[in-house]
Amino acid sequence: MRNIDVCPTPELLHLYNLQNTVVVVVDILRATSCITVALAHGVARLIPVATLEECRKLQEAGYLAAAERDAKKAEGFDLDNSPFSYMDPGLEGKTIAITTTNGTLAITQSREAVKVIIGSFLNLSAVTNHLLEQSYDVLVVCAGWKGKVNLEDTLFAGAVVEALQHDFSINQDTALIAKILYQVGKKDLVAFLATSSHVGRLHRMGIHQDVNFCLQKDKFDVIPVLRGHALVKL
Amino acid sequence: MRNIDVCPTPELLHLYNLQNTVVVVVDILRATSCITVALAHGVARLIPVATLEECRKLQEAGYLAAAERDAKKAEGFDLDNSPFSYMDPGLEGKTIAITTTNGTLAITQSREAVKVIIGSFLNLSAVTNHLLEQSYDVLVVCAGWKGKVNLEDTLFAGAVVEALQHDFSINQDTALIAKILYQVGKKDLVAFLATSSHVGRLHRMGIHQDVNFCLQKDKFDVIPVLRGHALVKL
C-alpha cells in the first residue's frame, strides 16, 4: 500500500525520504494559495526562488517579480503575496518570479521528489483526486513559519490525509496529528484558525480578506506542478 | 505575562530561545516516565547521557547503567527502559547512568535553560503546579522519535498548555495544536493513543503494560530536576 506522510516544517525535511514520492507543498497563508490563483487566472509560469537576490535578478532579466518577507511586499518588486493581486487580467500569459518567507523555500527544497505539486484549500479536491490516481507515496510538506510548525498548513495536510486514508497507509504520528486536527476544525476553518499565530499577524495588518479567501475549498480545478525550475499547470 | 510554548522535537530546539525559560522535557514512552518512577522509588540520582559510549564509561566507573535503543535494552547494560524496572527496592540510594533513543538527548540539549525539569503524565500536576508558582517562561521540549514528532509527547505538552493557559500567553501554533489534541484525547488517553506509531511499536514487542502504566496521571508527586549533570528530586 502507498504511504501518506506529513513533514510539518521544511526544517525536518532531511528526515524524510523523497524517493518514489510525490510531494505536495503547502503554504496556505499565502504562497501556495497565490500560485493556485495565478495559474487559474492565466499566468503562464511562476518561478519559485528562495532569495530576494535571485528574484531581483529574474526581475532584471525582464520577468515580473513577486516578493514577500514578514507578510509584507519587499521593496522594489512588482507583486505582493495577496491572492487578489494574481487575478489581474494583465498577468495572462506572463512569467512571474516569486519568493516568499516560507513557501518558496519549501518548494525549492523538495526538488528531489518524483514530482512536486502545489496544494491549497482552493484546489484541495483537484490535488487529492490526482494523488489517488497515481502510484507513488505522498508527502505533504508544510511551509510553516520560519522553521516552526503552523496550524493552517497542518490543517491542510490533515485534509489530504483524510481524503487519502482508505487508499494509503498512515505510519507516522505527524500524519495522524494533522488528520485529527482537520477533523476537529473542518466544519468552520475560519473560526478554528482565528486563534492561530499567523492569522493574528495578518489580522493585525488588516488582511482579513486574504485569510477568508484562502480558506475556501475547491474554488479552482488547477494543479500547479514543478517542471524544471517553473511551476505550470499540470 | 509569561509565555508557554512547545518544541515538538529536539531537531527544532535551535529555533527556540531558552533564556529566561524553564524547560520541561517529556518522553512519555518511556524515558521521562522511568525517571519519574525511579526518583519516586528512592533512586538518588540519574545521569542522562546522549551516547552508549558515555553510558558504558559511567558503568565502568561503578554506576548502574540503563541503556535503550530502538525500544530494546542495549547489550551489556544493567537496566532497560521499562518503568517497572525502576521500582526495585535494591535501587534505593543508587546513582544510575541512563541513555535512551530520544529522551536523554532532549535533556542534554536543553541545558542552557534557567532550569530543566522532567515531565510525564505520572507527575503532571506536580509539574504544572510548580510551573504556575515560578516566574519564568515555559518551554515543553518533546523528545519525539528520531527527530520526528510523536503523538504521546505532544499530548503531554497539550496537558501542560491547558493547565497553564489562564496564567501564560500562547503565542505559537505548536502550543495551540498540542492543546487542541489534548482536549480531544484527554478523556481516554489509552484509546486515543492506540493508533500512534510508537504505541504500535511497543505493542508489537508485547509491552502493553508499560504503555498503560505511563498514561496514568498524577501517580507521583516528585519533580526530577537537572542539577549539574544529574537528575535529582526538586
Side-chain angles (χ1 to χ4, degrees):
Chain A
M1 210 182 200
R2 296 164 289 177
N3 293 310
I4 167 74
D5 204 353
V6 174
C7 175
T9 146
E11 285 279 325
L12 298 180
L13 197 53
H14 64 282
L15 301 171
Y16 292 80
N17 186 353
L18 300 187
Q19 283 195 323
N20 210 43
T21 298
V22 172
V23 163
V24 183
V25 175
V26 54
D27 183 1
I28 293 296
L29 299 175
R30 296 166 286 169
T32 64
S33 298
C34 286
I35 291 164
T36 304
V37 168
L39 290 179
H41 285 80
V43 167
R45 304 189 303 159
L46 296 107
I47 303 175
V49 293
T51 66
L52 289 171
E53 293 65 38
E54 292 169 89
C55 201
R56 201 170 318 268
K57 274 187 192 161
L58 289 169
Q59 189 183 31
E60 286 163 8
Y63 295 115
L64 285 169
E68 169 264 349
R69 284 296 181 272
D70 293 324
K72 285 175 253 175
K73 184 166 93 164
E75 179 111 13
F77 290 92
D78 307 303
L79 286 148
D80 61 11
N81 199 26
S82 166
F84 297 104
S85 303
Y86 294 83
M87 295 173 187
D88 180 353
L91 299 177
E92 260 177 54
K94 296 280 168 69
T95 295
I96 303 173
I98 182 169
T99 184
T100 69
T101 308
N102 309 289
T104 53
L105 193 66
I107 296 167
T108 54
Q109 289 179 342
S110 300
R111 283 188 198 286
E112 280 171 50
V114 171
K115 182 157 54 172
V116 178
I117 65 175
I118 298 298
S120 66
F121 286 112
L122 300 171
N123 68 344
L124 173 61
S125 294
V127 165
T128 56
N129 289 337
H130 176 70
L131 295 173
L132 285 165
E133 283 162 10
Q134 53 82 53
S135 61
Y136 297 103
D137 293 333
V138 170
L139 179 67
V140 183
V141 175
C142 299
W145 182 258
K146 298 187 177 179
K148 293 186 182 177
V149 178
N150 76 27
L151 186 55
E152 63 273 17
D153 297 342
T154 309
L155 267 184
F156 173 83
V160 174
V161 174
E162 189 186 68
L164 269 50
Q165 64 183 330
H166 303 300
D167 299 84
F168 286 70
S169 304
I170 303 171
N171 295 316
Q172 295 290 336
D173 284 0
T174 312
L176 195 61
I177 288 170
K179 188 184 82 164
I180 294 165
L181 282 172
Y182 182 65
Q183 289 175 336
V184 176
K186 69 181 174 182
K187 278 195 186 154
D188 188 347
L189 292 177
V190 173
F192 190 68
L193 278 164
T195 52
S196 84
S197 61
H198 195 47
V199 168
R201 194 178 294 121
L202 294 176
H203 280 322
R204 283 190 295 278
M205 300 172 69
I207 317 183
H208 306 69
Q209 267 194 317
D210 281 19
V211 175
N212 294 345
F213 184 84
C214 293
L215 297 181
Q216 298 172 99
K217 288 178 200 163
D218 298 331
K219 275 196 77 79
F220 305 111
D221 199 33
V222 317
I223 303 173
V225 61
L226 193 63
R227 293 243 192 271
H229 290 284
L231 293 162
V232 297
K233 266 195 204 178
L234 186 74
Chain B
M1 210 181 199
R2 297 164 289 177
N3 292 309
I4 167 74
D5 203 353
V6 174
C7 175
T9 145
E11 285 279 325
L12 298 180
L13 197 53
H14 63 281
L15 300 170
Y16 293 79
N17 186 352
L18 301 186
Q19 283 195 323
N20 211 42
T21 297
V22 172
V23 163
V24 182
V25 174
V26 55
D27 184 1
I28 293 296
L29 299 174
R30 296 164 288 169
T32 63
S33 298
C34 286
I35 292 164
T36 304
V37 168
L39 290 180
H41 285 79
V43 167
R45 304 188 302 159
L46 296 107
I47 304 175
V49 292
T51 66
L52 290 172
E53 292 63 39
E54 291 168 271
C55 201
R56 203 173 312 270
K57 274 187 193 161
L58 289 169
Q59 188 183 31
E60 287 163 6
Y63 295 115
L64 285 169
E68 170 265 346
R69 284 296 180 273
D70 293 325
K72 283 174 254 173
K73 184 166 93 164
E75 179 112 12
F77 289 92
D78 306 304
L79 285 148
D80 62 10
N81 199 25
S82 165
F84 297 104
S85 304
Y86 295 83
M87 296 173 187
D88 180 353
L91 299 176
E92 261 177 54
K94 297 279 169 69
T95 296
I96 303 173
I98 182 169
T99 183
T100 69
T101 308
N102 308 289
T104 52
L105 193 66
I107 296 167
T108 53
Q109 288 179 342
S110 300
R111 284 188 198 285
E112 281 171 49
V114 171
K115 183 156 55 172
V116 178
I117 65 175
I118 298 300
S120 66
F121 286 112
L122 300 171
N123 69 344
L124 173 60
S125 294
V127 164
T128 56
N129 289 336
H130 175 69
L131 296 172
L132 285 165
E133 282 162 12
Q134 54 81 53
S135 61
Y136 297 104
D137 293 334
V138 170
L139 179 67
V140 183
V141 175
C142 299
W145 181 258
K146 298 186 177 180
K148 294 186 181 176
V149 177
N150 76 28
L151 186 54
E152 63 272 16
D153 296 343
T154 308
L155 268 182
F156 173 83
V160 174
V161 174
E162 188 185 69
L164 269 52
Q165 64 183 332
H166 303 300
D167 298 83
F168 286 71
S169 304
I170 302 171
N171 295 316
Q172 295 290 334
D173 284 359
T174 311
L176 196 60
I177 288 171
K179 188 185 82 164
I180 294 165
L181 283 173
Y182 183 66
Q183 289 175 337
V184 176
K186 68 181 175 182
K187 277 195 187 156
D188 187 348
L189 291 177
V190 173
F192 190 67
L193 278 164
T195 52
S196 84
S197 61
H198 195 47
V199 167
R201 196 177 294 120
L202 294 176
H203 280 323
R204 282 190 295 280
M205 299 172 68
I207 318 182
H208 306 70
Q209 266 194 317
D210 281 19
V211 175
N212 294 345
F213 184 84
C214 293
L215 297 181
Q216 298 173 98
K217 287 178 201 164
D218 297 333
K219 274 196 78 78
F220 305 112
D221 198 34
V222 315
I223 303 173
V225 61
L226 193 64
R227 293 245 193 270
H229 290 284
L231 294 162
V232 296
K233 265 195 205 177
L234 186 75

